Amino acid sequence: MQAVELIQLLRDRYKKESYKAALVGTYKDGRYVDPPPLQTNLSLFLAPLALSVAPLLAVKNLYIQWALGVSLISITYMALYIYLKKNCFIPDAVKVVRTNYGDVEYLRRNKLEILENPQKLPGDYEYYYAPVNVCVARDRRPNAFTLDGPRGPVVYFTTGIFARLSPEELQAVLEHERGHIKYRHTHKLLAFLISEYTLRIPLVHLVYAKYSITLLAIHLIGVALLYTAMLQAFEFEADKYAARRHRERLVSALVKLDWNGIVESLLNPLAARLTLLARTHPLTIDRIRKLHAIPY
């Protein structure tokens, strides 16, 4: 199927319903409560790898290097986990109003009243309660992610993803996040970082220091590429887990969340493939193709 035909097929099947604006309200104990913003981004998941270089440059003793490096990796991961756990806000209810009414200032000014009584809107609208039992962060960017830890996993949804997706699609995304928990992806990434660092130390002392320190830079680039490849593989695995019950809803959610990316990757496939070297997620069109390849 040609790129243009595939774009048209996805648009017709998954982008029929489209609203200009959405209001998201989170409620706790019957009162409207603004969720806290999340003062972090997913690039911090690469921080343990970057920080593990410091002991190799600062300390000469091999055993101290190993102890410091493993400690830095573990502490960085735990600091991120504790921050996310501490700031986790789980509302009792999430109300969503999506509308084609285009006066953004009016919507912003009358948000609470509209959430309580959407009939105030002059145009057509859609009103529903979204599934909760996740941590909610105030962020217009649609995103969902999971981090596991000693006190249980934390699953985050941003207000942006509530605004974009229907309750059924949100449930499919939640099932995807449960796939990450089911297959212990956080623990596998942490084990990979510690194992790689343990292997890196003798290579630095026996090979890289003897011939050229440039080899260490090449080594780290290779590790970073392998790390992002693992992250992308985990996304496919979590997709497969969610597809057991929510295949079409997950595909619909992916189309709505990354429509521009899908179009760009279909019209400029070579450029899109090159971006994989620096992406933590696979191309969305590849995820959709794999989901449709999974047998019923």
Side-chain angles (χ1 to χ4, degrees):
M1 183 178 292
Q2 296 296 318
V4 175
E5 293 175 338
L6 184 53
I7 290 170
Q8 188 61 48
L9 174 65
L10 292 173
R11 179 187 287 114
D12 292 343
R13 183 176 295 181
Y14 300 111
K15 283 184 66 67
K16 292 178 181 178
E17 51 182 64
S18 180
Y19 291 91
K20 294 179 180 179
L23 300 175
V24 178
T26 50
Y27 293 80
K28 191 78 172 177
D29 299 325
R31 296 185 302 108
Y32 174 86
V33 180
D34 253 335
L38 200 59
Q39 303 294 341
T40 185
N41 59 67
L42 294 184
S43 64
L44 288 179
F45 285 97
L46 295 172
L49 179 62
L51 291 174
S52 66
V53 179
L56 297 175
L57 303 176
V59 181
K60 292 185 178 181
N61 183 280
L62 186 146
Y63 299 103
I64 296 177
Q65 281 183 349
W66 182 84
L68 286 175
V70 171
S71 297
L72 274 173
I73 292 170
S74 303
I75 290 170
T76 305
Y77 154 73
M78 280 303 300
L80 180 59
Y81 174 76
I82 291 170
Y83 170 78
L84 293 174
K85 193 76 173 178
K86 181 181 177 182
N87 288 276
C88 175
F89 168 70
I90 302 179
D92 299 326
V94 178
K95 296 180 183 179
V96 181
V97 175
R98 296 198 289 178
T99 177
N100 280 321
Y101 186 61
D103 190 340
V104 177
E105 187 56 37
Y106 172 85
L107 295 174
R108 185 183 295 114
R109 190 171 58 250
N110 298 279
K111 177 179 177 179
L112 295 182
E113 291 83 352
I114 294 171
L115 285 169
E116 292 299 326
N117 182 20
Q119 292 180 354
K120 291 184 62 174
L121 289 168
D124 58 329
Y125 64 89
E126 181 182 47
Y127 174 55
Y128 56 83
Y129 283 87
V132 284
N133 295 323
V134 296
C135 307
V136 179
R138 188 171 74 251
D139 191 336
R140 290 183 179 181
R141 294 169 297 181
N143 199 7
F145 64 91
T146 300
L147 190 67
D148 209 347
R151 295 184 60 190
V154 285
V155 180
Y156 267 86
F157 278 20
T158 64
T159 49
I161 201 169
F162 283 108
R164 291 280 191 93
L165 304 182
S166 70
E168 296 78 14
E169 291 161 347
L170 289 166
Q171 193 62 47
V173 173
L174 180 57
E175 197 71 8
H176 168 93
E177 297 305 322
R178 287 173 177 158
H180 286 304
I181 299 168
K182 168 74 174 178
Y183 296 120
R184 304 174 69 86
H185 289 158
T186 298
H187 300 120
K188 289 176 181 178
L189 287 172
L190 193 58
F192 166 77
L193 290 171
I194 293 174
S195 300
E196 183 280 324
Y197 185 76
T198 302
L199 175 64
R200 191 196 314 167
I201 290 177
L203 285 174
V204 169
H205 285 270
L206 299 176
V207 181
Y208 302 158
K210 184 177 180 180
Y211 294 101
S212 174
I213 199 65
T214 305
L215 294 173
L216 175 59
I218 297 173
H219 174 103
L220 291 173
I221 293 172
V223 171
L225 292 175
L226 181 58
Y227 185 73
T228 55
M230 286 181 64
L231 290 172
Q232 293 170 18
F234 290 164
E235 290 302 314
F236 286 129
E237 192 172 30
D239 282 348
K240 186 175 181 180
Y241 179 84
R244 298 181 308 166
R245 292 190 295 175
H246 303 283
R247 182 205 310 256
E248 282 301 307
R249 293 302 184 185
L250 183 58
V251 173
S252 177
L254 291 172
V255 170
K256 290 180 180 178
L257 292 173
D258 191 31
W259 176 249
N260 290 338
I262 291 170
V263 172
E264 183 65 27
S265 61
L266 286 171
L267 296 180
N268 301 288
L270 180 58
R273 295 289 160 198
L274 291 175
T275 66
L276 284 172
L277 298 175
R279 290 170 60 105
T280 59
H281 282 58
L283 295 176
T284 303
I285 190 62
D286 289 342
R287 296 174 67 180
I288 292 171
R289 283 170 171 152
K290 280 185 176 291
L291 283 166
H292 279 288
I294 299 169
Y296 283 97

